[in-house]
Amino acid sequence: MFIVKYRKIFFAISAMLVVVSIAVVIIRGLHFGIDFKGGSLTEVSYKDARPETLELKTAVDVLSLGDVRIQPAGERDVIIRTKSLSTDEHSTLLTALSFDGKSLFEEKRFSSIGPVVGKELRSKAWVAIFLVILGIVLFVAFAFRHVSEPVASWKYGLIIVISLLHDIIIPTGVVAFLGKDVDTLFIIALLSIMGLSVHDSIVVFDRVRENLRLKKGRDFSETVGKSLEQTFVRSINTSLTIILVLFALYFFGPTSTKDFSLILLIGMFFGTYSSIFLGSPLLV
Protein backbone atom coordinates (compact mmCIF):
# COMPACT_ATOMS: atom_id res chain seq x y z
CA MET A 1 0.00 0.00 0.00
CA PHE A 2 1.16 3.56 -0.77
CA ILE A 3 1.16 4.46 2.96
CA VAL A 4 3.91 1.94 3.68
CA LYS A 5 5.76 2.75 0.46
CA TYR A 6 5.85 6.49 1.13
CA ARG A 7 6.03 6.26 4.90
CA LYS A 8 8.98 8.69 5.17
CA ILE A 9 6.77 11.48 3.82
CA PHE A 10 4.18 10.84 6.54
CA PHE A 11 6.92 10.62 9.18
CA ALA A 12 8.20 14.02 8.04
CA ILE A 13 4.70 15.54 8.23
CA SER A 14 4.17 14.20 11.76
CA ALA A 15 7.61 15.32 12.91
CA MET A 16 7.03 18.82 11.53
CA LEU A 17 3.62 19.13 13.23
CA VAL A 18 5.00 17.93 16.58
CA VAL A 19 8.02 20.27 16.42
CA VAL A 20 5.83 23.26 15.52
CA SER A 21 3.38 22.40 18.33
CA ILE A 22 6.17 22.14 20.91
CA ALA A 23 7.64 25.44 19.68
CA VAL A 24 4.26 27.16 20.02
CA VAL A 25 3.84 25.83 23.57
CA ILE A 26 7.35 27.05 24.51
CA ILE A 27 6.93 30.48 22.90
CA ARG A 28 3.32 31.27 23.83
CA GLY A 29 3.03 29.08 26.92
CA LEU A 30 -0.09 27.40 28.30
CA HIS A 31 -2.74 29.55 29.93
CA PHE A 32 -3.95 27.51 32.89
CA GLY A 33 -7.57 28.03 33.85
CA ILE A 34 -8.82 28.61 37.37
CA ASP A 35 -9.08 24.83 37.84
CA PHE A 36 -5.27 24.59 37.83
CA LYS A 37 -3.99 27.95 39.06
CA GLY A 38 -6.82 29.04 41.34
CA GLY A 39 -9.22 31.93 40.83
CA SER A 40 -12.87 32.79 40.48
CA LEU A 41 -15.38 32.37 37.68
CA THR A 42 -18.45 34.58 37.48
CA GLU A 43 -21.17 34.12 34.85
CA VAL A 44 -23.98 36.63 34.44
CA SER A 45 -26.88 36.88 32.01
CA TYR A 46 -28.15 40.34 31.08
CA LYS A 47 -31.89 40.96 30.92
CA ASP A 48 -31.63 43.27 27.90
CA ALA A 49 -28.85 43.76 25.37
CA ARG A 50 -25.41 42.65 26.54
CA PRO A 51 -22.86 45.49 26.88
CA GLU A 52 -19.88 45.48 24.54
CA THR A 53 -16.82 43.55 25.72
CA LEU A 54 -14.74 46.75 25.69
CA GLU A 55 -17.28 48.49 27.96
CA LEU A 56 -17.21 45.58 30.39
CA LYS A 57 -13.41 45.50 30.38
CA THR A 58 -13.23 49.23 31.08
CA ALA A 59 -15.68 48.90 33.98
CA VAL A 60 -13.80 45.93 35.51
CA ASP A 61 -10.25 47.26 35.00
CA VAL A 62 -10.76 50.08 37.53
CA LEU A 63 -11.28 47.47 40.26
CA SER A 64 -7.61 46.39 40.09
CA LEU A 65 -8.39 42.67 40.13
CA GLY A 66 -5.28 41.74 38.17
CA ASP A 67 -5.55 39.56 35.07
CA VAL A 68 -9.24 39.52 34.09
CA ARG A 69 -10.59 37.55 31.14
CA ILE A 70 -14.02 38.45 29.79
CA GLN A 71 -15.71 35.98 27.45
CA PRO A 72 -19.13 36.55 25.81
CA ALA A 73 -21.33 33.45 25.87
CA GLY A 74 -24.56 32.87 24.03
CA GLU A 75 -26.67 35.93 23.22
CA ARG A 76 -26.68 37.74 26.59
CA ASP A 77 -24.26 35.90 28.90
CA VAL A 78 -20.78 36.94 29.98
CA ILE A 79 -18.13 34.79 31.72
CA ILE A 80 -15.51 36.63 33.79
CA ARG A 81 -12.39 34.85 35.04
CA THR A 82 -10.40 36.61 37.75
CA LYS A 83 -8.11 35.92 40.68
CA SER A 84 -9.71 34.34 43.73
CA LEU A 85 -12.23 36.93 44.96
CA SER A 86 -13.27 37.73 48.52
CA THR A 87 -16.93 38.39 49.31
CA ASP A 88 -16.41 42.17 49.11
CA GLU A 89 -14.51 41.92 45.81
CA HIS A 90 -17.24 39.71 44.39
CA SER A 91 -19.90 42.28 45.34
CA THR A 92 -17.82 45.09 43.84
CA LEU A 93 -17.44 43.14 40.60
CA LEU A 94 -21.20 42.63 40.33
CA THR A 95 -21.77 46.34 40.88
CA ALA A 96 -19.29 47.17 38.12
CA LEU A 97 -20.95 44.69 35.74
CA SER A 98 -24.32 46.34 36.37
CA PHE A 99 -22.82 49.80 35.64
CA ASP A 100 -24.17 51.00 39.02
CA GLY A 101 -27.58 49.47 38.43
CA LYS A 102 -28.10 50.71 34.87
CA SER A 103 -27.88 47.19 33.36
CA LEU A 104 -29.94 44.45 34.94
CA PHE A 105 -28.59 40.91 34.97
CA GLU A 106 -28.88 37.58 36.74
CA GLU A 107 -25.82 35.89 38.23
CA LYS A 108 -25.97 32.34 36.90
CA ARG A 109 -22.94 30.95 38.72
CA PHE A 110 -19.96 31.89 40.85
CA SER A 111 -17.16 29.44 41.73
CA SER A 112 -13.80 29.95 43.35
CA ILE A 113 -10.76 27.68 43.73
CA GLY A 114 -7.72 28.46 45.86
CA PRO A 115 -4.20 28.36 44.36
CA VAL A 116 -3.13 25.38 46.52
CA VAL A 117 -6.08 23.28 45.35
CA GLY A 118 -5.44 24.37 41.74
CA LYS A 119 -1.79 23.31 41.93
CA GLU A 120 -2.80 19.93 43.38
CA LEU A 121 -5.36 19.38 40.60
CA ARG A 122 -2.74 20.25 37.98
CA SER A 123 -0.28 17.71 39.42
CA LYS A 124 -2.96 15.01 39.54
CA ALA A 125 -3.93 15.75 35.92
CA TRP A 126 -0.41 15.08 34.61
CA VAL A 127 -0.15 11.96 36.80
CA ALA A 128 -3.45 10.74 35.32
CA ILE A 129 -2.13 11.17 31.76
CA PHE A 130 1.11 9.35 32.63
CA LEU A 131 -0.74 6.45 34.28
CA VAL A 132 -3.10 6.10 31.31
CA ILE A 133 -0.17 5.93 28.87
CA LEU A 134 1.63 3.41 31.10
CA GLY A 135 -1.50 1.29 31.41
CA ILE A 136 -2.04 1.30 27.65
CA VAL A 137 1.58 0.28 26.98
CA LEU A 138 1.38 -2.62 29.45
CA PHE A 139 -1.92 -3.77 27.97
CA VAL A 140 -0.64 -3.65 24.38
CA ALA A 141 2.58 -5.46 25.32
CA PHE A 142 0.49 -8.17 27.05
CA ALA A 143 -2.05 -8.45 24.22
CA PHE A 144 0.69 -8.93 21.62
CA ARG A 145 2.95 -11.09 23.79
CA HIS A 146 2.73 -14.03 21.37
CA VAL A 147 3.93 -11.90 18.46
CA SER A 148 7.69 -12.10 18.36
CA GLU A 149 8.61 -12.05 14.69
CA PRO A 150 9.70 -9.84 13.11
CA VAL A 151 8.71 -7.17 15.69
CA ALA A 152 8.83 -7.91 19.43
CA SER A 153 5.62 -7.33 21.41
CA TRP A 154 7.10 -4.51 23.51
CA LYS A 155 7.76 -2.54 20.33
CA TYR A 156 4.03 -2.47 19.61
CA GLY A 157 3.64 -0.76 22.99
CA LEU A 158 6.48 1.66 22.21
CA ILE A 159 4.87 2.64 18.91
CA ILE A 160 1.57 3.22 20.72
CA VAL A 161 3.38 5.65 23.06
CA ILE A 162 4.88 7.54 20.10
CA SER A 163 1.44 7.75 18.45
CA LEU A 164 -0.24 8.90 21.67
CA LEU A 165 2.36 11.62 22.26
CA HIS A 166 1.82 12.74 18.66
CA ASP A 167 -1.95 12.83 19.25
CA ILE A 168 -1.84 14.94 22.44
CA ILE A 169 1.07 17.26 21.60
CA ILE A 170 -0.58 18.65 18.45
CA PRO A 171 -3.91 19.60 20.13
CA THR A 172 -1.91 21.12 23.01
CA GLY A 173 -0.01 23.24 20.48
CA VAL A 174 -3.30 24.41 18.95
CA VAL A 175 -4.64 25.32 22.41
CA ALA A 176 -1.47 27.31 23.14
CA PHE A 177 -1.71 29.07 19.76
CA LEU A 178 -5.37 30.02 20.27
CA GLY A 179 -4.76 31.08 23.89
CA LYS A 180 -7.46 28.75 25.22
CA ASP A 181 -7.63 27.84 28.89
CA VAL A 182 -6.05 24.59 30.03
CA ASP A 183 -8.53 23.21 32.55
CA THR A 184 -10.08 19.93 33.65
CA LEU A 185 -12.12 19.70 30.43
CA PHE A 186 -8.87 19.96 28.46
CA ILE A 187 -7.40 17.01 30.40
CA ILE A 188 -10.61 15.01 29.90
CA ALA A 189 -10.39 15.75 26.17
CA LEU A 190 -6.76 14.52 26.04
CA LEU A 191 -7.66 11.31 27.89
CA SER A 192 -10.58 10.75 25.50
CA ILE A 193 -8.31 11.32 22.50
CA MET A 194 -5.84 8.74 23.82
CA GLY A 195 -8.58 6.17 24.34
CA LEU A 196 -10.04 6.64 20.86
CA SER A 197 -6.63 6.74 19.18
CA VAL A 198 -5.28 3.59 20.81
CA HIS A 199 -8.51 1.75 19.96
CA ASP A 200 -7.97 2.53 16.28
CA SER A 201 -4.29 1.54 16.40
CA ILE A 202 -5.01 -1.78 18.12
CA VAL A 203 -7.54 -2.71 15.41
CA VAL A 204 -4.85 -2.26 12.75
CA PHE A 205 -2.17 -4.01 14.84
CA ASP A 206 -4.52 -6.92 15.49
CA ARG A 207 -5.05 -7.34 11.76
CA VAL A 208 -1.26 -7.30 11.29
CA ARG A 209 -0.96 -10.05 13.90
CA GLU A 210 -3.66 -12.11 12.20
CA ASN A 211 -2.07 -11.73 8.76
CA LEU A 212 1.32 -12.71 10.17
CA ARG A 213 -0.23 -15.88 11.52
CA LEU A 214 -1.85 -16.61 8.13
CA LYS A 215 1.43 -15.70 6.37
CA LYS A 216 -0.23 -13.16 4.06
CA GLY A 217 2.36 -11.16 2.21
CA ARG A 218 5.83 -11.94 0.90
CA ASP A 219 7.50 -9.83 3.58
CA PHE A 220 6.58 -7.83 6.66
CA SER A 221 6.04 -4.52 4.86
CA GLU A 222 3.60 -6.18 2.44
CA THR A 223 1.77 -7.77 5.38
CA VAL A 224 1.38 -4.38 7.07
CA GLY A 225 0.23 -2.87 3.76
CA LYS A 226 -2.44 -5.54 3.33
CA SER A 227 -3.57 -5.03 6.93
CA LEU A 228 -3.96 -1.30 6.34
CA GLU A 229 -5.96 -1.93 3.17
CA GLN A 230 -8.31 -4.23 5.10
CA THR A 231 -8.88 -1.74 7.95
CA PHE A 232 -8.55 1.61 6.16
CA VAL A 233 -12.24 2.16 5.32
CA ARG A 234 -13.34 0.92 8.75
CA SER A 235 -10.99 3.38 10.51
CA ILE A 236 -12.10 6.33 8.38
CA ASN A 237 -15.82 5.56 8.76
CA THR A 238 -15.61 5.08 12.53
CA SER A 239 -13.69 8.33 13.01
CA LEU A 240 -15.94 10.23 10.62
CA THR A 241 -19.08 9.37 12.60
CA ILE A 242 -17.45 10.68 15.80
CA ILE A 243 -16.17 13.81 14.03
CA LEU A 244 -19.68 14.58 12.72
CA VAL A 245 -21.06 14.41 16.26
CA LEU A 246 -18.26 16.69 17.51
CA PHE A 247 -18.98 19.18 14.71
CA ALA A 248 -22.61 19.29 15.82
CA LEU A 249 -21.54 19.76 19.45
CA TYR A 250 -19.13 22.56 18.49
CA PHE A 251 -21.55 24.55 16.31
CA PHE A 252 -24.84 23.87 18.10
CA GLY A 253 -23.76 22.93 21.63
CA PRO A 254 -23.46 25.24 24.65
CA THR A 255 -20.58 27.71 24.88
CA SER A 256 -19.14 25.88 27.89
CA THR A 257 -18.33 22.81 25.74
CA LYS A 258 -17.05 24.55 22.57
CA ASP A 259 -13.37 24.39 23.56
CA PHE A 260 -13.80 20.78 24.70
CA SER A 261 -15.37 19.71 21.40
CA LEU A 262 -12.73 21.66 19.41
CA ILE A 263 -9.87 19.83 21.16
CA LEU A 264 -11.60 16.49 20.60
CA LEU A 265 -12.11 17.34 16.91
CA ILE A 266 -8.44 18.10 16.42
CA GLY A 267 -7.40 15.06 18.47
CA MET A 268 -9.73 12.71 16.59
CA PHE A 269 -8.44 13.90 13.22
CA PHE A 270 -4.78 13.45 14.13
CA GLY A 271 -5.51 10.28 16.13
CA THR A 272 -6.99 8.71 13.01
CA TYR A 273 -4.04 10.00 11.00
CA SER A 274 -1.50 8.51 13.43
CA SER A 275 -3.15 5.08 13.58
CA ILE A 276 -3.07 4.80 9.77
CA PHE A 277 -0.14 6.91 8.58
CA LEU A 278 2.20 6.77 11.58
CA GLY A 279 1.72 3.75 13.86
CA SER A 280 1.58 0.96 11.30
CA PRO A 281 4.40 2.30 9.07
CA LEU A 282 6.54 2.58 12.22
CA LEU A 283 6.22 -1.20 12.60
CA VAL A 284 7.93 -1.52 9.23
Side-chain angles (χ1 to χ4, degrees), residues 10 26 76 96 124 130 151 165 184 191 225 227 248-249 272 274 282:
F10 301 116
I26 293 172
R76 299 181 182 181
K124 288 183 176 179
F130 172 77
V151 178
L165 290 175
T184 49
L191 294 174
S227 301
L249 182 61
T272 305
S274 69
L282 276 175

Side-chain angles (χ1 to χ4, degrees), residues 136-179:
I136 288 172
V137 171
L138 294 175
F139 168 74
V140 172
F142 176 79
F144 290 87
R145 65 192 183 279
H146 296 307
V147 181
S148 58
E149 293 295 339
V151 178
S153 60
W154 65 269
K155 291 182 180 179
Y156 285 84
L158 177 63
I159 290 171
I160 288 288
V161 171
I162 295 172
S163 298
L164 290 181
L165 290 175
H166 168 276
D167 299 341
I168 63 177
I169 287 174
I170 294 175
T172 303
V174 174
V175 166
F177 177 77
L178 297 176

Side-chain angles (χ1 to χ4, degrees), residues 20-215:
V20 169
S21 298
I22 292 173
V24 170
V25 171
I26 293 172
I27 295 169
R28 294 181 63 91
L30 294 174
H31 190 282
F32 290 101
I34 64 172
D35 295 358
F36 293 153
K37 71 176 183 181
S40 296
L41 184 148
T42 306
E43 182 177 359
V44 299
S45 179
Y46 285 89
K47 301 293 184 182
D48 300 313
R50 178 178 59 206
E52 294 294 328
T53 304
L54 184 59
E55 292 181 78
L56 292 169
K57 184 169 178 56
T58 302
V60 173
D61 281 347
V62 299
L63 304 180
S64 301
L65 297 177
D67 181 26
V68 178
R69 304 190 72 184
I70 299 174
Q71 175 189 347
E75 294 182 358
R76 299 181 182 181
D77 293 5
V78 177
I79 299 173
I80 301 97
R81 294 177 173 86
T82 63
K83 67 175 186 178
S84 188
L85 301 179
S86 64
T87 304
D88 291 339
E89 288 173 328
H90 178 223
S91 300
T92 305
L93 174 63
L94 293 180
T95 302
L97 293 174
S98 70
F99 297 94
D100 295 323
K102 295 177 183 177
S103 297
L104 298 177
F105 63 79
E106 173 193 359
E107 184 179 23
K108 296 179 74 173
R109 61 171 167 156
F110 173 74
S111 58
S112 188
I113 296 177
V116 175
V117 176
K119 186 177 179 181
E120 182 181 350
L121 286 173
R122 189 167 61 197
S123 300
K124 288 183 176 179
W126 300 128
V127 169
I129 290 176
F130 172 77
L131 290 177
V132 167
I133 292 176
L134 179 62
I136 288 172
V137 171
L138 294 175
F139 168 74
V140 172
F142 176 79
F144 290 87
R145 65 192 183 279
H146 296 307
V147 181
S148 58
E149 293 295 339
V151 178
S153 60
W154 65 269
K155 291 182 180 179
Y156 285 84
L158 177 63
I159 290 171
I160 288 288
V161 171
I162 295 172
S163 298
L164 290 181
L165 290 175
H166 168 276
D167 299 341
I168 63 177
I169 287 174
I170 294 175
T172 303
V174 174
V175 166
F177 177 77
L178 297 176
K180 301 290 187 180
D181 282 345
V182 174
D183 52 17
T184 49
L185 274 181
F186 172 77
I187 300 300
I188 293 170
L190 290 188
L191 294 174
S192 302
I193 290 166
M194 288 193 290
L196 293 166
S197 176
V198 75
H199 171 266
D200 226 15
S201 297
I202 286 178
V203 168
V204 181
F205 285 0
D206 194 55
R207 185 55 60 92
V208 171
R209 176 175 61 178
E210 183 69 13
N211 286 336
L212 280 173
R213 186 179 65 82
L214 297 174
K215 301 188 184 302

